[in-house]
Amino acid sequence: MSTLTQSPAWQALQVHQPLIAQQHLRTLFANDPQRFEKFSVTFNDILLDYSKQPVTTETMRLLLALARQQGLASWITRLFEGDKINSTEQRAALHIALRADQPVWLDGVDVLPEVKRVLQQMEHFTTAVHRGEQKGYTGLHFTDIVNIGIGGSDLGPMMVTEALKPYAVAHLTPHFVSNVDGAHLAETLKPLNPATTLFIIASKTFTTQETLANAHSAREWFLAQGGTENDIASHFVAVSTNREAVQTFGIDPSNMFEFWDWVGGRYSLWSAIGLPIALAIGMENFYALLAGARAMDQHFLSAPLEKNLPVILGLIGIWQINFFRAGSHAVLPYDQHLHRFPAYLQQLEMESNGKRITRDGEEVDYDTGTVVWGEPGTNGQHAFYQLLHQGTPIVTADFLAPCQSHHVIGQHHHLLLANFFAQTEALMRGKNADEVRAELTTQDISPAKLEKLLPHRIFPGNRATTSILFKKLDPATLGTLIALYEHKVFVQSVIWNINPFDQWGVELGKQLAGRILNELAEEQKITSHDASTNGLMAYFKSNQK
Ligand code: F6P
């Protein structure tokens, strides 16, 4: 057994779990009229309600004891103080510096001036594009921006530009190309005019195969459509930590926006990786996004653990994953603008905490991370909620919704929120045999048919959800929400004693793909892999024409 699972705090939770598991959530609510007040917290415009989770005051006390036992407070300090807590890469994880307004020290140097320098470069560039001072090779203003990047160099900026569409500047349309499937680039470029299109090549390492392939093809398209080599400078900019590779690609370093190795890819939307966001919504709104995240940073750093939103969200996840064995976690935004939020969180959570080795190099004997997925409500209700209500796997869910909509159309927002409240209530309460019987007896159904139908119409309920309501999806609130989840992931990594800031797991596939790429060009039969891979490659090759 690992030190963690043997530890007093873990063991205490294990003893406590059956006592909670035997009580239906309905009963917990019936027994305590104060349950909502006890198990909900607010921060700024955000309300986090975890009263529909299987917790009591004792559960929270034990979870907080686990957090203390794992030294959470000192890990939070280490995160903010720029310690090299990404130990396998010997790096700090200083995304908080990207939105800070006070000095942030790394190896005795304040990184804030560098951060501000790049923000100013972004501001200058964004203003120039918006005013039409920075324009295309024929003298026309830019109308379209194409961000070419993948993973953290795509998901964050793409999610935010979608989420903040109501703040978009009218004359610039952002596009995102990530997939190396040529269809993504070709379909994106099809309607675009090269003379009014600005490309942002976004890659922390500037070695990512997919991004470089798309960037080269975008350049070829630009040249084939009338642009010249001399025009590349005004149509292609890069965001990267790798100056040399940017130069080798052919982008002038003066057109490069820098960031640093202490910014993890999936934590980078606050850096120059956010350039498409700034271009899409303006620098002032980008600063508001940063300010929102900064507010959450301060809260995370200073609020007591029992009132600390990321701590609570993280601990609820631990309770579900490790003690209730929840198999997956759905993120269900009741806000169409947040339609890419689940995809963004997939990388944030699964790439960060999808680890099986502790910081001490031991294999874990407990689950770390979980499958994260989701779709906006109400669409999900007509697709997969059936399984949430009556299926066998244990799925937990975060429901998110704004109180105010950017689009006041008739009753739409009330309809949307009525569904949010109805679903979380239904998942919690369910419908028991007596309730189903009472309902069916009012209908014209024979007693025999009623009894036959009964088991199908029963909802067990007791399905746990967390609700997050916020006033309006504005830049500051979105910044706060994203930072909430970033810190939640960190809290969980501390409990699990894993490093959330590396991602060695994606390397194996990358290495193999490089080797296979060469083999696909060879004439002879490939025999160097397992029979399945050899067979698949042979089938692919023989069906190329
Ligand atoms: O998927 C692995 C990964 O390294 C992610 O962590 C990262 O966000 C993505 O690839 C893109 O990397 P880069 O920004 O270096 O192109």
Side-chain angles (χ1 to χ4, degrees), residues 150-153 203-206 208 265-266 347 351 503 506 510:
I150 197 164
S153 301
S203 175
K204 178 176 169 180
T205 55
F206 229 78
T208 304
R266 52 195 173 275
Q347 190 200 14
E351 196 165 80
Q503 57 284 317
V506 291
K510 279 192 197 173

Side-chain angles (χ1 to χ4, degrees), residues 25 28-29 32-39 51 53-55:
L25 280 169
L28 294 178
F29 274 96
D32 186 358
Q34 297 302 310
R35 194 167 166 78
F36 172 73
E37 286 74 16
K38 274 187 196 156
F39 303 113
S51 60
Q53 290 287 344
V55 295

Side-chain angles (χ1 to χ4, degrees), residues 126-134 141-145 167-175 196 278-282:
T126 302
T127 313
V129 170
H130 288 172
R131 288 193 185 144
E133 293 156 12
Q134 174 91 25
H141 291 191
F142 288 118
T143 55
D144 296 274
I145 318 152
Y167 298 85
V169 295
H171 47 86
L172 263 184
T173 309
H175 308 266
T196 57
L279 285 163
I281 62 171

